Amino acid sequence: MKKNVLKTITGLALAAVTAVSLTACGSSSSTSGGSTQGSTESGSGDIYRTLDEIKDSGTINIGVFSDKSPFGYVDENGEYQGYDVYFANRLAKDLGVEVNFVSTEAASRIEYLQTGKVDVILANFTVTDERAEEVDFCLPYMSVSLGVVSPKSAPVTSLDNWDANNQMIVISGTTAETYLTENYPDIPLQKYDTYANAKNALENGNGVAWANDNTEVIAYANTNPDFEVSIPQLGDQDTIAPAVAKGNTTLSDWINSEIESLGKENFFHEDYEATLEDTYGSDYEDQLVIEGGKTE
């Protein structure tokens, strides 16, 4: 009899533990720092918050760079600034929520979306077919291509007949890394996770040149007189766009509508003039800015 009672008690305890475990597995926690309370899991396994869930929370989590001036950086007062940040602030304002900036590195952008750490990526994210398989891109707001910056004393003007002893500096997870790997597999790549480390490597002679978005290499050369943009364009012209988790259509639809609306007031030209003109001048404005998501 005692054995039967013990078995019954043990069975009930195990059932209770199992029920608690299942309940825990079916929920997720959230803070304004980028976790996922009330989130949805897509068919691909991505975790995200819908537009209504973001509104209800009062905060949108946006991934930006913290070390890529003038697009996303932290100023001397600890505030996020830059072209992408200017846009992010307007998105949050028009959505009626606060913005929580989440610092990201290039290689982490897709992961941050898929795990629900951020709702949107606005980190100079170039649209590619490979990335579009993992995230959903919205309408573009900027045009960009790849370029190469190198020392004026030893400019790299061609990638043909490359010396195998020389290394090209790239940022991990960028289109520059992908392009060189696919098109110039014999060029040794020296990869860094942050823009600050890549710039330090170039200045210290740890690589003969640095390949990155042409906007970045132009900005770098303009503020570092010992360097020049030795190759202005590699490959085709590309676009920069916001990205959300795969399947988060309520958020992507709203962002697309917002971009179209902002285009009617020339918002992105305003953004350029407020954040990029000091770096690039007015000559590049119409070449780089895309208004209303229209690329033609």
Side-chain angles (χ1 to χ4, degrees):
M1 180 69 176
K2 289 182 179 179
K3 288 184 179 179
N4 290 334
V5 171
L6 181 59
K7 286 182 180 180
T8 301
I9 294 172
T10 302
L12 290 172
L14 287 172
V17 170
T18 302
V20 171
S21 299
L22 288 173
T23 301
C25 291
S27 66
S28 55
S29 61
S30 176
T31 67
S32 62
S35 52
T36 55
Q37 185 173 9
S39 63
T40 301
E41 185 170 329
S42 70
S44 63
D46 293 358
I47 298 170
Y48 60 80
R49 300 191 301 166
T50 65
L51 182 67
D52 286 341
E53 288 168 344
I54 293 169
K55 287 181 178 179
D56 290 344
S57 76
T59 302
I60 186 168
N61 302 309
I62 300 183
V64 295
F65 287 128
S66 60
D67 65 346
K68 190 179 181 183
S69 176
F71 295 95
Y73 64 98
V74 177
D75 67 16
E76 63 275 8
N77 298 316
E79 300 291 331
Y80 280 91
Q81 304 289 350
Y83 186 76
D84 292 336
V85 173
Y86 193 98
F87 178 28
N89 281 323
R90 180 60 185 267
L91 285 180
K93 177 183 176 182
D94 290 351
L95 191 56
V97 297
E98 297 294 321
V99 60
N100 174 54
F101 290 113
V102 179
S103 177
T104 183
E105 295 172 354
S108 303
R109 291 174 292 194
I110 292 176
E111 175 197 344
Y112 278 19
L113 284 173
Q114 292 178 333
T115 58
K117 187 167 186 177
V118 299
D119 302 305
V120 185
I121 284 289
L122 285 179
N124 219 227
F125 209 13
T126 304
V127 178
T128 69
D129 292 339
E130 293 79 11
R131 289 171 176 170
E133 293 178 359
E134 300 188 81
V135 301
D136 284 344
F137 284 105
C138 303
L139 292 173
Y141 60 95
M142 192 169 190
S143 181
V144 69
S145 64
L146 298 177
V148 174
V149 62
S150 56
K152 287 182 177 179
S153 58
V156 173
T157 58
S158 174
L159 301 187
D160 299 326
N161 303 314
W162 190 267
D163 187 336
N165 294 317
N166 293 332
Q167 291 189 324
M168 175 72 78
I169 296 169
V170 296
I171 306 291
S172 297
T174 61
T175 49
E177 178 189 11
T178 303
Y179 176 83
L180 291 171
T181 300
E182 293 178 352
N183 295 279
Y184 294 91
D186 295 332
I187 295 181
L189 302 181
Q190 189 171 149
K191 303 176 185 181
Y192 293 91
D193 289 332
T194 69
Y195 285 85
N197 288 340
K199 292 172 184 177
N200 288 336
L202 181 64
E203 291 166 8
N204 292 330
N206 295 336
V208 299
W210 176 25
N212 203 11
D213 291 349
N214 63 347
T215 50
E216 181 68 25
V217 298
I218 291 169
Y220 181 83
N222 284 348
T223 56
N224 292 271
D226 293 334
F227 295 85
E228 65 180 25
V229 180
S230 49
I231 301 179
Q233 182 171 337
L234 285 174
D236 299 327
Q237 196 84 2
D238 293 312
T239 57
I240 301 292
V244 302
K246 202 74 177 169
N248 195 355
T249 54
T250 59
L251 183 55
S252 62
D253 287 349
W254 182 85
I255 293 175
N256 284 338
S257 177
E258 174 77 350
I259 289 174
E260 290 174 342
S261 178
L262 291 176
K264 295 175 182 177
E265 61 181 73
N266 283 326
F267 169 82
F268 292 99
H269 280 81
E270 172 191 303
D271 189 351
Y272 180 99
E273 290 161 11
T275 62
L276 302 185
E277 191 168 42
D278 285 348
T279 301
Y280 301 111
S282 58
D283 292 343
Y284 285 99
E285 185 169 351
D286 289 333
Q287 176 184 334
L288 296 176
V289 172
I290 296 176
E291 283 289 3
K294 299 176 181 178
T295 56
E296 296 181 358

